[in-house]
Amino acid sequence: MRGFFGPEGTFTHQALLTLGDEPAIPLPTVKRALDAVRSGEVEASLVPIENSIEGGVSATLDYLALPDDPLQIVQEVVIPVSFDLCVRRGTKLGQVRRVVSHPHAIAQVRGWLDEHLPDAVVVERGSTAGAAELVADPASGFDAAVCAPVAGKMYGLVSAAHHISDNDRAATRFVLVSRPGRSPLRTGHDKTSLVAYMRQDHPGALLEILQQFAVRGVNLCRIESRPTKTTLGEYCFSIDAEGHVSEARMAEALMGLRRICKDVVFLGSYPRADRKSPKVPYGGKDSDYHEAQAWVRSIEPLGDDDPNPSSHEN
Ligand SMILES: O=C(O)C(=O)Cc1ccccc1
């Protein structure tokens, strides 16, 4: 059984429906959705990870990549998001005093709220659909929810205003996450996600991380710094790169990171939602790496039969 960041009517739920109609369990927070995977209560959970306006969803980025207990992304889904202001039947726009929604939804309608409801108190809570459910109860003290029209309908609300997003091309990316295991097979249009912890804070440390990808022609789709949560001012880098771990240039980039970083947390190789194939640079094909590897083997003085392997230990 799958889990998702719920309740029913969230954008995550809409993204889940694009994957088929298997029954799934709504979980009220991203943490609960990921805990359910860790405990084995569900086999995988769908959670939001990034949106085109607000960037990464910190709760997901951090809790997915716990260094001692990381989970693995097996699939991604991207859907457009558009918000309505939903109220109980009979409430007029001018009567709205208190608005509730998910922080990423509020961030995407901030301009509209400032213009149309400048005096309203705006409260961040749960999910967009959870907000609609709250507003449905007059005793909740909330007059309006920022949510998908489908969530409004689901909880018996009506739209006081349609399409209130400040940017009408906003999209959100969701990931289906499971316990670590084998990555989905390579499709030719894949992404690899990881978190890199620098060995120490020194000039050029970030450049060294980037170089591991750059010299192998691996393009990055996202890189953001996240606090390590151990020491103030200490950061790690959450990265999505184009390609699959079974591709030689990606595997070599990961090996490079492993050599130079304090820690590298692998979060999975999985098919890209937009099915865009990466541009493979000159010399970057698997066959180029294999040919180069075979050539080095052929010129190594000792070949594979090193009589004294322990002499290489340090
Ligand atoms: O609260 C929801 O509906 C979610 O699934 C999270 C979210 C919030 C705002 C935009 C996209 C996803």
Side-chain angles (χ1 to χ4, degrees):
M1 182 83 102
R2 284 175 177 167
F4 66 95
F5 174 48
E8 287 189 5
T10 55
F11 289 99
T12 314
H13 185 217
Q14 291 180 45
L16 180 84
L17 295 176
T18 69
L19 300 180
D21 55 5
E22 269 180 46
I25 307 174
L27 294 153
T29 61
V30 165
K31 183 172 180 299
R32 285 280 300 279
L34 297 179
D35 278 342
V37 178
R38 287 196 167 98
S39 70
E41 182 188 339
V42 296
E43 137 239 328
S45 271
L46 191 72
V47 290
I49 193 164
E50 178 185 6
N51 80 60
S52 57
I53 309 297
E54 270 292 283
V57 180
S58 314
T60 305
L61 291 173
D62 295 348
Y63 205 58
L64 177 63
L66 293 182
D68 296 329
D69 197 5
L71 294 171
Q72 187 169 330
I73 302 172
V74 291
Q75 193 167 358
E76 69 170 11
V77 183
V78 177
I79 60 164
V81 289
S82 168
F83 305 98
D84 275 16
L85 188 81
C86 292
V87 296
R88 289 183 295 278
R89 195 173 291 282
T91 305
K92 301 262 176 313
L93 188 58
Q95 298 170 321
V96 171
R97 301 275 172 269
R98 284 171 65 81
V99 179
V100 60
S101 195
H102 183 277
H104 275 235
I106 291 170
Q108 294 183 57
V109 302
R110 181 63 68 193
W112 189 93
L113 290 175
D114 284 348
E115 189 179 335
H116 297 91
L117 294 171
D119 300 323
V121 173
V122 181
V123 178
E124 297 181 350
R125 177 113 18 117
S127 65
T128 56
E133 199 175 7
L134 259 180
V135 170
D137 174 6
S140 67
F142 292 110
D143 309 306
V146 177
C147 60
V150 64
K153 272 199 205 96
M154 210 171 260
Y155 297 98
L157 306 180
V158 292
S159 289
H162 292 290
H163 303 302
I164 64 170
S165 314
D166 298 332
N167 180 328
D168 56 13
R169 291 208 318 232
T172 298
R173 178 176 161 238
F174 302 83
V175 285
L176 185 65
V177 172
S178 71
R179 283 184 293 285
R182 292 189 74 80
S183 288
L185 292 178
R186 162 177 171 180
T187 62
H189 42 79
D190 306 285
K191 227 182 232 184
T192 294
S193 298
L194 58 102
V195 179
Y197 289 79
M198 289 186 300
R199 197 170 282 281
Q200 52 181 227
D201 186 10
H202 62 273
L206 172 58
L207 182 64
E208 285 170 11
I209 290 180
L210 297 178
Q211 272 168 338
Q212 301 307 318
F213 295 102
V215 295
R216 286 143 187 133
V218 175
N219 191 35
L220 300 188
C221 330
R222 182 183 62 86
I223 174 161
E224 34 193 317
S225 57
R226 295 289 313 144
T228 59
K229 300 184 179 32
T230 48
T231 311
L232 178 68
E234 210 177 86
Y235 286 84
C236 54
F237 293 95
S238 172
I239 296 172
D240 292 340
E242 279 183 6
H244 192 279
V245 62
S246 71
E247 285 171 82
R249 63 204 179 92
M250 178 64 82
E252 294 245 348
L254 294 181
M255 285 192 280
L257 288 178
R258 176 89 178 175
R259 283 188 287 103
I260 66 162
C261 291
K262 187 150 79 181
D263 196 9
V264 182
V265 179
F266 174 69
L267 293 176
S269 288
Y270 49 90
R272 292 178 68 126
D274 62 10
R275 299 172 150 265
K276 208 171 103 195
S277 303
K279 276 205 191 81
V280 180
Y282 187 74
K285 294 198 295 290
D286 279 2
S287 54
D288 298 321
Y289 278 88
H290 296 155
E291 192 280 330
Q293 218 167 35
W295 175 70
V296 168
R297 292 240 168 82
S298 75
I299 57 174
E300 274 174 2
L302 297 174
D304 283 340
D305 305 320
D306 186 346
N308 189 11
S310 62
S311 69
H312 299 297
E313 283 170 13
N314 47 21

